[in-house]
Amino acid sequence: MTSTLPLETRKQAAFEHARAGRFDDAATLLLSVLNETPKDIGTLLLLGDVQHAAGRTQDASRAYSGALQAIQLSGGQIAPGFQQGVQRAQVRLGEYAQGYEAFIEGELPKAQRTKRFDQSVDILLGKSGIYLQQPTKYYFPGLPQIQFYDTADFDWVPGLEAKTPEIKNELLGILSDHQAFRPYLERAESQPNVKSHKLVGNDDWSAFYLWKDGERVEENCARCPVTAAAFENIPLDRLPGQAPSVLFSLLKPGAHIPPHHGLINTRLICHLPVLVPGPAWLRVGSETRQWQEGKVCIFDDSIEHEAKNEASETRVVLLFDIWRPELTLEEREEVTKFLGAISTYSGEKIVSGN
């Protein structure tokens, strides 16, 4: 019977029912309107108010969310008559989200959750996005989506960490030579620099290489022999003419490396923080970690990541790349031959740069 009434008549009747506290009748009329005009923002907002007043917060949440979605689909502009209603909807949606989070906390306290499960809860609650491998040049399928690896799974880590004091001593000697470091992102003058940003050619982020493009830099290795010898038993990803890279990576105070993805996903990037004079962090996907001197971190740089030195002094990590442990020896050989062939064909180093 109600569906035969004109839309505006139904809307007005629903409003009168709501004012009189007849929320079920009001909701029925509003739903009949939305059955014919599902993107009617005013009706969606009113339905949210009615369901909220009736104590049906999940139904109210769906109506309010529908209104906000309809606004986005119509170009994002909010008509003057709807501004207060939209603000009210946003506030209530925030309250519902807090209530939902509190319910989950009561059922499964955060302190008792496993790490990966906790990430899944944050994604469900909208507190974190889904970050996946998106290498810019070469993607190898079927590899696990792990942001930071557990260093306990790598038997070479304790030995490298134990050498931190000696490595730091060698680094301090290099830092006294102001000409030793060069910008990490070097500008290729012979090529377009469409994606160039302020760190290209900028020594705020600079490097001192022990291995560069797969070649040992003998002069630099001679200046820090302990550091150079520390890699004898580490599974560096050896790609002739391209990898590994082993370097001291320097960030000046306040320097920020913006979010980006690495070139390939067949390697992992490792940091041994050698000089961390204050707060400095690395975010990989949804997880942010503070660098700690002498504590290795291993991560997948094909997942979006960024870094910043918030200290008032320079931060330096020993940076290097290794094979992903999930790749078989045969797969490593295939990747090596394949990337080498592409480089020969194109004349470019696939793994070079960032």
Side-chain angles (χ1 to χ4, degrees):
M1 184 71 174
T2 57
S3 61
T4 62
L5 298 173
L7 293 177
E8 290 304 320
T9 300
R10 276 180 268 167
K11 290 181 187 180
Q12 185 59 38
F15 183 75
E16 296 299 333
H17 281 311
R19 287 210 321 181
R22 296 188 293 271
F23 301 125
D24 289 346
D25 293 335
T28 298
L29 284 168
L30 293 170
L31 288 168
S32 76
V33 172
L34 291 170
N35 189 49
E36 298 177 40
T37 57
K39 298 177 184 178
D40 186 321
I41 296 167
T43 301
L44 286 163
L45 290 171
L46 180 55
L47 178 60
D49 291 343
V50 166
Q51 302 289 32
H52 178 84
R56 296 188 285 260
T57 56
Q58 291 195 31
D59 290 331
S61 177
R62 281 189 281 270
Y64 286 141
S65 297
L68 299 183
Q69 193 172 33
I71 290 169
Q72 290 300 316
L73 291 172
S74 64
Q77 296 297 317
I78 303 173
F82 294 147
Q83 289 178 350
Q84 287 188 345
V86 168
Q87 290 174 359
R88 185 166 59 249
Q90 291 170 331
V91 168
R92 287 176 176 170
L93 284 170
E95 292 172 350
Y96 300 157
Q98 290 175 359
Y100 187 35
E101 185 173 354
F103 166 76
I104 292 175
E105 177 67 20
E107 295 292 313
L108 292 158
K110 187 177 183 67
Q112 298 176 15
R113 299 175 201 160
T114 58
K115 181 179 177 181
R116 288 193 297 177
F117 174 71
D118 187 48
Q119 288 178 345
S120 77
V121 173
D122 283 347
I123 291 170
L124 177 67
L125 294 173
K127 298 174 69 176
S128 173
I130 299 175
Y131 295 93
L132 303 175
Q133 297 163 6
Q134 297 183 60
T136 59
K137 289 194 175 180
Y138 174 66
Y139 176 78
F140 191 103
L143 298 174
Q145 306 283 340
I146 300 173
Q147 297 172 165
F148 283 97
Y149 276 68
D150 186 348
T151 57
D153 295 331
F154 298 82
D155 58 8
W156 50 265
V157 167
L160 180 62
E161 291 181 339
K163 294 182 174 68
T164 302
E166 295 174 273
I167 293 172
K168 183 174 182 178
N169 186 54
E170 292 183 338
L171 168 66
L172 293 176
I174 297 166
L175 287 172
S176 65
D177 176 4
H178 299 298
Q179 303 301 314
F181 282 76
R182 293 288 184 271
Y184 179 73
L185 295 178
E186 299 175 305
R187 189 181 304 278
E189 300 297 344
S190 61
Q191 300 176 12
N193 289 279
V194 176
K195 295 183 178 180
S196 181
H197 56 75
K198 66 180 183 179
L199 285 176
V200 175
N202 186 338
D203 65 2
D204 280 359
W205 182 17
S206 54
F208 178 87
Y209 284 93
L210 303 181
W211 274 262
K212 182 174 172 59
D213 298 336
E215 301 294 332
R216 189 178 155 102
V217 184
E218 295 296 345
E219 178 184 355
N220 290 350
C221 286
R223 297 178 67 175
C224 43
V226 173
T227 307
F231 291 90
E232 293 177 357
N233 297 315
I234 294 176
L236 301 174
D237 60 330
R238 299 187 183 277
L239 303 171
Q242 300 190 72
S245 290
V246 178
L247 61 139
F248 286 115
S249 173
L250 180 154
L251 270 186
K252 288 186 177 180
H256 176 220
I257 302 171
H260 65 289
H261 297 84
L263 302 167
I264 61 177
N265 69 330
T266 53
R267 69 180 181 186
L268 298 176
I269 300 298
C270 308
H271 288 174
L272 173 66
V274 183
L275 189 62
V276 186
W281 51 263
L282 168 68
R283 177 186 67 82
V284 181
S286 61
E287 187 174 356
T288 300
R289 294 189 180 182
Q290 296 284 333
W291 282 293
Q292 299 178 54
E293 283 192 15
K295 295 296 182 182
V296 167
C297 63
I298 302 173
F299 64 97
D300 181 350
D301 77 320
S302 70
I303 296 172
E304 183 188 271
H305 59 290
E306 65 177 319
K308 187 173 184 179
N309 178 17
E310 296 182 335
S312 58
E313 298 178 58
T314 294
R315 179 240 65 176
V316 182
V317 301
L318 180 60
L319 184 157
F320 55 97
D321 36 290
I322 63 173
W323 285 109
R324 288 189 69 121
E326 301 89 359
L327 291 173
T328 67
L329 291 177
E330 182 179 10
E331 288 170 336
R332 295 179 188 186
E333 291 175 2
E334 290 173 329
V335 169
T336 300
K337 291 178 181 178
F338 182 55
L339 294 183
I342 293 175
S343 179
T344 299
Y345 180 84
S346 66
E348 297 181 359
K349 295 175 180 180
I350 305 302
V351 187
S352 178
N354 205 322

